[in-house]
Amino acid sequence: MTVPIIKVQQLDKIFSTDDMLTHALQGIELEIQQGEYISISGPSGCGKSTLLSIMGLLDIPTSGKLYFEGQDVSQLSIEEAAEIRNQKIGFIFQQFNLIDELSVFDNIALPLRYAKRPLRLNIINDKVDYCLNLVGMTSMGQRKPTQLSGGQQQRVAIARALVAEPSILLVDEPTGNLDSRNSDQIMETLELLNMQGTTLCVVTHDIRYAEMAKRKIYLLDGQILGQTSFNDECIP
Amino acid sequence: MRKLILRHNQAWASLKKKPGFILTVLLTMGITLGALLCVVTLNYLLLVEPLPYPEQDRLFVAEHKLIGPEKETKAIAFTYPGLVHLYKSKEAFEKASIMAYSQDVIVSHPSQPLVNTAYVTPELHQILASPMAMGRMFEASEAMDTNNPVAMLSYNTWKKEFSGSADILEQKINLSGISYRIIGVLAENFVEAELDGIGRETQVWMPWDYNQTGERGRQSFGNISGTLNFLGQLKEGVSQSQAQQLLSPLVSDRWQEGVIEMDFFKGWSVVMLVTPVKEVMLGDSESIAVMLLAGVMGLVLIACANISNLFMARTAEKQRQMAIQAAIGATKKHLFQAMLAETGLLMFMSIILALVLAQIGFFVMQEHFEQILPRVNELSFNPITFGSAVLVTVVFALFFAKLSTWMVDYRSLNTTLQSSGKGSGLQVSKKVRQVLIASQVALATVLVFANFSLLKDAVKTINAPIGFTTTNISTLVLNFASTDFPTQEERLPIMAEIKEKLEALPQVESISQSPSPLDGWGVRALTDVVSKERYTPFLNGVSHTYFGMIKQPLVQGDNFTLVDRQDRNNVMIVNQSFAKQLKADGDVIGMKISVGGPDPFKIIGIVKDIAIPNATPTGSDNADAGVPRVYTPNGLGSQRFMVKVKPGMSVSREQLGKLLSDVDSRYSVYSFDAADDILTKSLFVEITTAVTTAVLASLVFLLAGIGLYGILSYGTQLRRFELGARMAIGATRKHLVSMIISDNTKAVLIGFVGSVVLFALAYIGLSEYIQPFLNWQVLPMIVATIVLIMLVTLFACYWPLRQYINKPAIFSLRGSD
Ligand SMILES: Nc1ncnc2c1ncn2[C@@H]1O[C@H](COP(=O)(O)OP(=O)(O)OP(=O)(O)O)[C@@H](O)[C@H]1O
Ligand SMILES: [Mg+2]
């Protein structure tokens, strides 16, 4: 068996605020292999986003281990985490998180500009054009995000997540802000990307979209309730 | 009511999470409003509050104005017989009093202190209705020509010199050989009508008859003295100008009669000036007070701009919370009330701090500004202080609350919520922010630069070379405490012995029997024997060792000799400035100058100018022109000595007192002061200015810094989600810091350009004031200002960013915390 892209062991996350402790994640065990398409679903507040943030090195676990491509990344410094995010992880958020002042083109180029080893300008141009093409936005490169529809914005976000050729795409409620037609298009795009080899981990509470994944994970109160693989039945 | 308390509890709970914010608002508003309250109270006291005397609006000071042949003002000062004549005439005034100010030593006191004295007629304290702590004030039995030796003490003198002794009224004190019975002590709350300079407190009051003018001086209409004063209460219905018209011929006729024999006063005339006592007491302090007020208003404006920025930033921060409140039905009014609870609370805390600081300010002013501002001793909280405190609290609380809610676009608050906090609900546009940054930078640059310049000027005066040395030199002036004055011949052996004993002291390096360059000067009327041209330079009689001891270089000719002093030779040394006045080429050696006596003086030497701080030449307003000075050899009976001690050593007043009384019991120490101390005292205004501007400059810089920080951190906070997004795709700290800096640099540069424009505008309007500042010396100050502002900017870029870039990216991506 190859080294999994992400391996989570006995992962706990506790949020402490002034007056209470929230055990957002408890004893999570999870492996994501190259080329997989995983969905994470569960009721609101069960810890989906928290899990995704930790796997994407946006947040740090309270305890437990996290391996990225075999490397222990549970205790990385902020700078080291930034580097891995830049090179190996693509994020797609519910609220797009595009940068309004930058053009669509520059938004997509941004991860390449943050790269540790800067790329030549024409290479950046080629890569951005390729990604724009991939999400069907070729003609919109010079627009500002505010001049796009929600669905278009999300496609730009996907392009931006892809441009640095990450090992995995982490997607949190990609369709939360979109109508059903746009949502379907986005999910189809993602599915297509997976078929072309991109590893995908999608958080969604929409049962239809969860079903599209090859492996489905159910979270409840911070714990993995069950997993189903492509042809399996639910393991309680 | 309960609702109000609840609202304030909520406000406090929400504020408590932001100690930095509270502290910034508290310090900024507390300090500036403290200064404001202090200065407002001062202005009220000086401009509005009546003097604490009955009929104070009828109290006037009369002055002699001497006018020269070319209609120029020669002096505003009385002649002794002129003053007595005016007093006796009883014209125009219902009650009038005359005063002579002086200093003397209480020789009967164990420590023989030098005190400020005033010789007055009894009417003075009646007119002022002076409150007494003990005993009585002067009465008819102490009126003019009664020769009744009694004295009153000031409250402080009683406390300090007589340790508040209860039986003070049975004691006697001896000054200049006369024993005075103490009949009263003025009350602590007595406010002296300070006519002889701000902050000069009369310590011992004595009847007019004992004033120190000699018998000849009492008769001479040529004896003009600045220490003589007249204060009276005008008759009902007599106006200031009527009084002037009434009195002028009266004094003028008598004076002309008196000087008919004196050639020097040919073509001179006299008029009376009658001025409200308040005006004389306040001097030009009104303009100081108003300028202080203007300065503080400026500070309040910057502070206000800064705090506005901070509140805007805070609103931006609270957008989500407000959106939620709006979503569940809070109206705009509710939001305003919630905001008002916060601003009200903050302003309340600030004003408490301000009141405390104002009280400290009063104390500081009383301690340090006594010599600059009149009536500071009366400074204390009054209804005006509290009224303005309440007013500013309410106005600022309303203003900040209004401003904060004004920037909330209420209708789009809901969008804020839906778009999960990207902040579209309220953003001051990038352009507005850039304008704010630029104007802050421009304002700060101009203010910091202006303050630097003021500071530099004051420091320059303080550090200006004086042209002589004061190191280890003290001035000793002898006091003769008896009424039977020795003749010149009797005095010579006494002074010779005193000099010898002084030289024998182990601490003493050398003695010069001479006044120091810091005292003994008098303006003298001199005439060039050949051209008959008249001059009025400063004159001092000095010893042959004088120039050597103070290291004032002789540039031409010869110094005096001991023989010159023994034989009272008519020789004279002039300084370069006077030499230039006498002759354009300054070659004046051998010229003959008359000082009024039968034999003229021959100029034998020229010395370099000295620059005694704040001494302006007579008859010239130009401070840069050298002061003309002449020196003649003093006699060997001179009672002034310069004492140069060995490095690190000192001589005490007591030790000298003993030495003197051993030689002759009638002699005691009049004054013994280190020349450095006298110099520092004469620089008091400059030093105070330097300290005040330094404090102001740092305050301005602090406020400007806070303002810049406020607006920059506000900008950064607005970009929180953007920062989060950039971090999510791998931006490192370095990327983000350099992005924020380069984004703000443009605005900062525009700000610098703006400050240049402001200066250009100021230059067009005020070129005559600014011109003298424009030289290469401003260059380092410009650089220093810019570097300082840059450093603040860099700090203000980095510091607010720190909370985002040093935490996991998720912190920035999430809306609330
Ligand atoms: N910063 C935080 N501080 C305190 N508690 C938090 C924080 N972030 C999340 N939580 C808590 O952790 C739990 C999991 O939150 P999370 O956002 O992961 O839920 P979710 O499954 O993504 O829900 P949703 O479907 O509504 O997005 C929740 O109970 C939440 O209250
Ligand atoms: Mg979530």
Side-chain angles (χ1 to χ4, degrees), chain B residues 362-613:
Chain B
F362 292 162
F363 178 75
V364 170
M365 285 215 234
Q366 279 161 2
E367 288 286 297
H368 298 284
F369 283 16
E370 214 181 25
Q371 313 291 324
I372 299 179
L373 289 169
R375 302 189 74 183
V376 284
N377 286 327
E378 294 171 65
L379 269 180
S380 65
F381 286 136
N382 59 31
I384 294 296
T385 326
F386 288 117
S388 3
V390 171
L391 187 75
V392 293
T393 311
V394 171
V395 167
F396 278 123
L398 284 172
F399 173 74
F400 290 135
K402 193 80 210 154
L403 182 85
S404 305
T405 35
W406 163 77
M407 52 177 290
V408 177
D409 181 355
Y410 189 73
R411 266 158 305 170
S412 55
L413 270 182
N414 296 336
T415 337
T416 308
L417 213 55
Q418 282 156 11
S419 68
S420 116
K422 261 191 77 186
S424 53
L426 69 153
Q427 273 191 17
V428 170
S429 75
K430 191 173 174 183
K431 226 191 207 135
V432 174
R433 266 187 287 135
Q434 300 266 358
V435 169
L436 282 174
I437 295 173
S439 53
Q440 275 281 0
V441 168
L443 197 68
T445 309
V446 170
L447 285 172
V448 168
F449 180 74
N451 270 289
F452 268 3
S453 308
L454 276 179
L455 185 66
K456 191 199 84 179
D457 240 40
V459 169
K460 197 173 140 197
T461 315
I462 293 170
N463 291 333
I466 51 175
F468 59 93
T469 178
T470 52
T471 317
N472 295 329
I473 296 179
S474 298
T475 318
L476 168 68
V477 181
L478 305 192
N479 178 55
F480 186 74
S482 168
T483 43
D484 59 318
F485 291 98
T487 62
Q488 188 74 15
E489 285 75 55
E490 282 173 329
R491 215 153 77 191
L492 290 180
I494 303 175
M495 288 307 136
E497 191 183 344
I498 289 176
K499 183 163 181 267
E500 208 171 285
K501 287 227 160 117
L502 284 173
E503 275 166 343
L505 286 175
Q507 303 99 310
V508 168
E509 189 175 299
S510 59
I511 298 288
S512 174
Q513 185 186 3
S514 176
S516 86
L518 297 168
D519 66 333
W521 294 100
V523 176
R524 280 293 276 272
L526 306 186
T527 314
D528 177 348
V529 172
V530 181
S531 71
K532 303 284 182 230
E533 197 75 49
R534 283 186 280 180
Y535 302 93
T536 49
F538 283 105
L539 182 141
N540 213 352
V542 301
S543 131
H544 61 292
T545 55
Y546 170 89
F547 296 112
M549 181 178 270
I550 65 166
K551 303 205 170 98
Q552 182 179 357
L554 190 75
V555 288
Q556 214 182 317
D558 300 314
N559 193 359
F560 303 132
T561 60
L562 184 61
V563 179
D564 287 333
R565 297 176 64 208
Q566 278 163 348
D567 301 351
R568 307 306 317 254
N569 288 338
N570 283 358
V571 288
M572 180 181 272
I573 291 175
V574 301
N575 72 353
Q576 288 173 313
S577 286
F578 189 54
K580 284 224 180 66
Q581 273 191 9
L582 287 172
K583 235 174 165 184
D585 64 0
D587 184 16
V588 294
I589 302 283
M591 270 178 81
K592 295 261 167 66
I593 303 290
S594 163
V595 299
D599 302 317
F601 279 61
K602 188 177 134 200
I603 297 176
I604 60 162
I606 301 174
V607 286
K608 261 203 163 145
D609 282 359
I610 55 171
I612 299 174

Side-chain angles (χ1 to χ4, degrees), chain B residues 160-209:
Chain B
K160 209 179 123 221
E161 304 295 351
F162 298 90
S163 34
S165 134
D167 58 358
I168 188 77
L169 295 184
E170 281 137 50
Q171 295 188 23
K172 289 193 164 189
I173 51 173
N174 191 316
L175 293 95
S176 293
I178 297 169
S179 180
Y180 298 84
R181 185 166 55 86
I182 297 171
I183 56 157
V185 176
L186 287 150
E188 192 177 7
N189 64 348
F190 164 65
V191 177
E192 187 178 344
E194 288 168 358
L195 303 182
D196 196 39
I198 293 158
R200 180 201 180 274
E201 186 210 62
T202 299
Q203 295 169 284
V204 180
W205 301 82
M206 286 162 284
W208 170 262
D209 293 341

Side-chain angles (χ1 to χ4, degrees), chain A residues 15 18 49-50 53 57-60 78-79 82-83 85-86 89 91 93 95 97-102 107 110-111 113-115 160 177, chain B residues 17 418-420 422 430 719 721-722 724-736 739 743 805-811 813-814:
Chain A
F15 290 110
D18 288 348
S49 298
T50 307
S53 306
L57 305 185
L58 290 175
D59 204 352
I60 44 175
I78 287 173
E79 296 295 273
E83 205 182 310
R85 282 200 302 272
N86 180 252
I89 303 171
F91 281 103
F93 302 96
Q95 62 271 23
N97 280 335
L98 297 178
I99 289 154
D100 290 344
E101 279 109 76
L102 301 181
N107 259 289
L110 206 52
R113 302 223 160 100
Y114 286 144
R160 188 178 67 182
N177 279 358
Chain B
K17 289 187 213 131
Q418 282 156 11
S419 68
S420 116
K422 261 191 77 186
K430 191 173 174 183
R719 298 176 74 167
F721 297 103
E722 182 203 327
R726 286 179 188 264
M727 282 161 86
I729 56 177
T732 59
R733 277 192 204 122
K734 212 178 92 199
H735 288 126
L736 298 176
M739 175 188 79
D743 279 6
I805 58 176
N806 290 337
K807 284 186 186 160
I810 192 72
F811 173 79
L813 277 170
R814 270 181 199 276

